């Protein structure tokens, strides 16, 4: 990733370069000379003299370099010289970002929505909810439970991206414990700019096109940008590392198994012999006391069905045991998606020193998740679906129960996938005013409406329709009703068809029977913010001739979350999904905040801030104090300390059933490993989790063009909000009230909820970064490196606290917080520029972790996920009048390295990616 970094020769409070090198972003060690002010502190409108408020502060007259918080800053030019296809791709170049959620299949545990193009920020691995994402300093609705970075604004509209790394709850509120990711758009642009990029990735190419237009005069200025992005789907079968046999048996298998309730008999009354195996005598020898015997599908193990027969210990031959089926190849790594982004910034000067502003951001996405053609049948009631003896496709001649998946890898009459379709619509509208009050005092007030809606259309098996088809009343035109066949309907006659769950019939059945296997179900999720905010800031007094600058403000926020589900999600007849319940949750948040800054001497800057928030059922205060001391021009030291808090999510504070998903869970009673549903309920008694945050660092400019920086950071949660781990719940009490079992004692669902853990995650580490720029005539060369070392990652499981550094952190931990924790993450590079030519080479490294998937704590290491080390290269050429045209080509992962292998998922998405070599070409023009 090629970002140019320019260093000035004199030191000041905080050299941003050290941390910005994490993504090789633009950063500068500043001086106190106004002529050397950075872009972050420069005027936003030279004509009016309006100053920029830097991220993490409400003070307009305090420059970024005088603050102690470590800040990453990346400009539009930096982003343009990379091969990233979306804003979210930038996070993989930030060592401080650990385990972003969403957009990628992660069957192991809560990786966020994998059915659409979405990706979170996750600073320090503290969970997506601990990083606040802002657009132009204002909140955006977290439609996926987190803010989708790809939904904010077209990349062409970005002026810079600033990331605060030491927490900002005292400034912005509850969800800024780990830091802030603030996307700032270009409100000054004049003219026309267009660009396009095509990225070749084997089996999953992507392209985007963008345009931006800026028009206006001395009174009004408006900038509009638009982008379209298209990404092709990528399946597990397209990559060796994910294309492996990942067995599912029991209710998740196809071919499945059959429960014989009586002795099989042929049409002539004789024994049933299939493929040379006598099932009648097998029944005679091995039926249980209830007169039942479970046998696998007669075609289990055949090459056509891509299944494996695992015989039982006492099996005399074929039939007894399990049939294992792998869904792996047909599930996605990522979905296909098409998205449109529109963004507008408009500013109108209504009087000298007073400006009205408006911002509109619109986002629409259509996505398609291609998965295995039918879900597992996890909820079969007291007995599984019955294939009656009257079904002519039943080879056993007696009623048998079917346990398995309706469709397997062979597909069904030409249907190879089940396609889930998501439609996302997000709207973000801001109106406000800013200007001068008196003297140095200024005001800003704004109103924000931010709303996101996700409409998902999926397909599950309605067990009523499935049973009707087994009875001969299948097909969309059969007069079959909820209470049985209607007038004129006869089993297997006319429009009424028999369905066979036997593998021998997979490809030859009437295609219309899909009606009885895939029933559409819809889910709608709506999240909405209504926010009003007002801030005034200026110089309160002068102490010893030095200004004490102060900002005070208030915010009122309404939050609403709506969930609506179709009947099959709610009624309990779905084979796999549900149950879900409609919800409509609301709350109000009232905030007061203040910030003060003073420089008692020229070389020392002290900042203090505090925020009070009232959620109705609880309130809290988050204070922060920081100092920045420039000891000598070449050396600056800094420190910050704060007490942060994080409120429960609105759904988590309710008593409702807020989500249902599935996980692979081992039943300790019989050792079976299968998908089981996890029903998550809210907890009205939840209190906010709190955290102590501390950062201390120093910047050294030893010689002209060189910068070296080091920061030690520490986060410690108290009363952390954790989500119960389903495996831990069933282990603790296999027959308890939180484990729902059917009449046969088979575990169907596990109930989990959130709680305040007695302790919480504690994490600490060191960031070390350096930069050296040198010129050889017209040739400029830059060397850069950023290393993030994880020293501590203590994970609270609810019953114990363990050190998770160098561990995958999968088993019996909270899905809300624990992430894979490599000890070392590093981004390094070298940049060359000669007139209109630029070339960069980057190296990204993540160290290995122990793979503890499905291991109890303290168990010996059985596997390790290897280190991830890849190289990227880019070349850019500018030409035309004023360099208005630019052409760039590059490669990501030059040597086409596969991700290191991980148990069950194939690879670990928080450590590496499975895309392989990515080659891209980008062209842009300005007019």
């Amino acid at each position: 990733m090629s970002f140019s970094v320019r260093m000035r020769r004199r030191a000041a409070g905080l050299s941003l370069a050290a941390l910005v090198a994490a993504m090789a972003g633009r950063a500068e060690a500043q001086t106190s000379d106004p002529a050397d002010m950075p872009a972050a502190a420069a005027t936003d409108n030279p004509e009016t003299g309006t100053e920029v408020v830097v991220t993490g502060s409400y003070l307009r007259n305090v420059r970024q370099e005088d603050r102690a918080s470590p800040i990453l800053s990346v400009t539009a030019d930096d982003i343009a010289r990379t091969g990233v296809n979306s804003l979210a791709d930038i996070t993989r170049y930030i060592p401080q970002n650990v385990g972003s959620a969403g957009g990628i299949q992660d069957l192991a545990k809560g990786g966020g929505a994998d059915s659409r193009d979405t990706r979170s920020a996750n600073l320090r691995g503290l969970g997506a909810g601990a990083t606040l994402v802002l657009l132009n300093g204002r909140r955006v609705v977290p439609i996926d439970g987190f803010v989708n970075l790809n939904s904010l604004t077209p990349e062409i509209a970005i002026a810079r991206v600033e990331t605060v790394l030491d927490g900002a709850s005292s400034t912005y509120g509850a969800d800024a414990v780990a830091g802030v990711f603030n996307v700032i758009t270009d409100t000054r642009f004049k003219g026309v700019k267009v660009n396009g990029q095509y990225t070749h990735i084997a089996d999953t190419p992507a392209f985007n096109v963008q345009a931006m237009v800026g028009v206006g005069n001395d009174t009004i200025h408006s900038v509009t940008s638009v982008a379209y992005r298209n990404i092709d789907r990528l399946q597990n079968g397209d990559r060796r590392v994910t294309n492996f046999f990942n067995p599912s048996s029991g209710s998740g298998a196809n071919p499945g198994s059959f429960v014989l309730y009586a002795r099989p008999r042929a049409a002539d009354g004789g024994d049933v012999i299939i493929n040379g195996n006598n099932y009648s005598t097998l029944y005679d020898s091995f039926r249980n006391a209830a007169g039942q015997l479970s046998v696998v599908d007669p075609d289990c193990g055949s090459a056509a069905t891509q299944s494996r027969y695992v015989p039982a210990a006492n099996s005399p031959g074929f039939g007894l045991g399990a049939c294992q089926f792998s869904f792996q190849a047909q599930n996605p790594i990522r979905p296909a998606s098409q998205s449109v982004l529109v963004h507008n910034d408009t500013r109108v000067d209504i009087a000298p020193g007073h400006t009205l502003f408006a911002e509109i951001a619109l986002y629409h996405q259509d996505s398609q998740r291609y998965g295995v053609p039918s879900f597992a049948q996890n909820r079969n009631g007291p007995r599984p679906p019955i294939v009656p003896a009257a079904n002519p496709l039943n080879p056993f001649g007696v009623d048998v129960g079917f346990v398995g998946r309706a469709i397997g890898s062979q597909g069904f009459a030409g249907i190879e996938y089940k396609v889930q379709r998501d439609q996302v619509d997000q709207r973000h509208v801001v109106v406000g005013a800013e200007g001068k009050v008196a003297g140095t005092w200024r005001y800003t007030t704004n109103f924000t409406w931010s709303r996101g809606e996700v409409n998902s259309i999926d397909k599950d098996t309605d067990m009523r329709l499935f049973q009707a088809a087994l009875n001969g009343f299948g097909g969309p035109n059969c007069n079959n009703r909820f209470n049985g066949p209607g007038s004129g309907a006869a089993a297997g006659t006319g429009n009424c068809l028999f369905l066979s769950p036997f593998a021998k019939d997979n490809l030859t059945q009437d295609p219309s029977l899909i009606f009885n296997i895939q029933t559409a179900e819809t889910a709608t999720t709506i999240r909405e913010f209504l926010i009003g905010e007002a801030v005034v800031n200026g110089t309160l007094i002068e102490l010893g001739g030095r200004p004490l600058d102060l900002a005070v403000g208030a915010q009122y926020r309404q939050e609403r979350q709506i969930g609506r589900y179709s009947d099959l999600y709610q009624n309990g007849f779905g084979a796999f999904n549900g149950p879900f319940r409609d919800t409509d949750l609301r709350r109000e948040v009232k905030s007061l905040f203040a910030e003060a800054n003073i420089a008692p001497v020229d070389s020392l800057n002290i900042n203090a801030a505090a925020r009070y928030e009232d959620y109705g059922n609880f309130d809290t205060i988050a204070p922060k104090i920081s100092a920045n001391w420039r000891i000598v021009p070449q050396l600056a030291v800094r420190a910050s300390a704060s007490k942060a808090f994080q409120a429960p999510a609105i759904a988590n504070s309710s008593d409702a059933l807020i989500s249902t998903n599935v996980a692979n869970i081992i039943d300790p009673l019989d050792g079976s490993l299968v998908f089981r549903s996890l029903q998550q309920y809210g907890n009205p008694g939840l209190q906010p989790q709190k955290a102590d945050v501390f950062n201390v660092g120093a910047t050294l400019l030893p010689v002209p063009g060189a910068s070296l920086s080091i920061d030690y950071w520490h986060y410690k949660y108290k009363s952390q909000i954790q989500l119960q781990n389903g495996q831990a719940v069933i282990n603790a009490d296999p027959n308890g009230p939180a484990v729902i079992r059917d009449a046969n004692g088979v575990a169907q669902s596990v109930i989990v909820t959130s709680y305040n853990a007695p302790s919480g995650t504690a994490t600490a580490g060191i960031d070390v970064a350096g930069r050296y720029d040198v010129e050889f005539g017209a040739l400029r060369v830059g060397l850069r490196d950023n290393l993030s070392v994880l020293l501590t990652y203590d994970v609270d499981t609810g019953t114990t606290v363990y050190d998770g550094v160098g561990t995958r952190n999968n088993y019996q931990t909270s899905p809300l917080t624990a992430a894979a924790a490599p000890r070392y993450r590093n981004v390094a590079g070298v940049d060359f520029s000669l007139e209109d030519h630029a070339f960069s080479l980057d190296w990204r490294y993540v160290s290995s972790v122990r793979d503890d998937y499905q291991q109890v704590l303290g168990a010996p290491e059985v596997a390790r996920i290897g280190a991830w080390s890849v190289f990227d290269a880019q070349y850019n050429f500018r030409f035309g009048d004023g360099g208005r045209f630019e052409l760039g080509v590059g490669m990501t992962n030059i040597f086409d390295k596969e991700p290191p292998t991980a148990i069950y998922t194939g690879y670990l998405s928080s450590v590496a990616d499975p895309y392989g070599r990515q080659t891209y070409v980008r062209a842009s023009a300005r007019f």
Side-chain angles (χ1 to χ4, degrees), residues 53-54 56-60 137 170-172 533 535-537 551 555 593 595 611:
V53 178
V54 297
S57 174
Y58 282 109
L59 295 168
R60 291 181 175 272
S170 59
T171 306
Y172 296 114
E533 184 177 74
V535 183
V536 294
N537 78 92
Q555 183 186 91
F593 48 88
E595 180 184 1
R611 187 180 185 99

Side-chain angles (χ1 to χ4, degrees), residues 350-364:
I350 58 174
H354 298 273
T355 301
L356 296 179
F357 60 85
E359 178 180 14
I360 299 175
L362 305 176
Y363 177 68
H364 175 81

Side-chain angles (χ1 to χ4, degrees), residues 465 469 473-480 495-497 510-516:
L465 291 178
F473 298 99
N477 299 316
C478 181
N479 186 18
N480 183 67
N495 292 328
C496 297
L497 307 172
D510 191 307
S512 68
L513 282 166
I514 197 69
F515 169 80
N516 298 85

Side-chain angles (χ1 to χ4, degrees), residues 342-404:
V342 179
H343 189 271
N344 175 266
D345 283 300
T346 299
R347 301 178 66 86
V348 181
D349 294 334
I350 58 174
H354 298 273
T355 301
L356 296 179
F357 60 85
E359 178 180 14
I360 299 175
L362 305 176
Y363 177 68
H364 175 81
Q365 179 190 150
D366 287 302
S367 61
Q368 307 86 41
R369 180 193 187 275
Y370 286 73
V372 68
S374 73
F375 282 131
Q377 295 183 353
N378 283 353
R379 287 187 299 280
N380 295 319
R383 296 183 73 184
I386 302 299
V387 187
N391 187 322
L393 301 172
N394 178 357
F396 292 118
V398 294
D399 291 355
V400 296
F402 170 64
V403 179

Side-chain angles (χ1 to χ4, degrees), residues 54 74 121-122 274-275 296 341 353 357 419 455 464 558 577 924:
V54 297
V74 180
N122 187 4
I274 306 173
N275 298 331
V296 300
L341 262 167
F357 60 85
V419 183
N455 289 290
R464 297 168 300 180
Q558 288 185 356
N577 286 325
S924 63

Side-chain angles (χ1 to χ4, degrees), residues 65 76 84 97 227 255 296 322 333 364 382 388-389 440 483 513 626 632 703 767 904:
E65 74 272 17
V84 298
N97 188 84
V296 300
I333 293 175
H364 175 81
T440 63
N483 59 350
L513 282 166
S626 60
V632 295
V703 295
D767 295 335
Y904 183 58

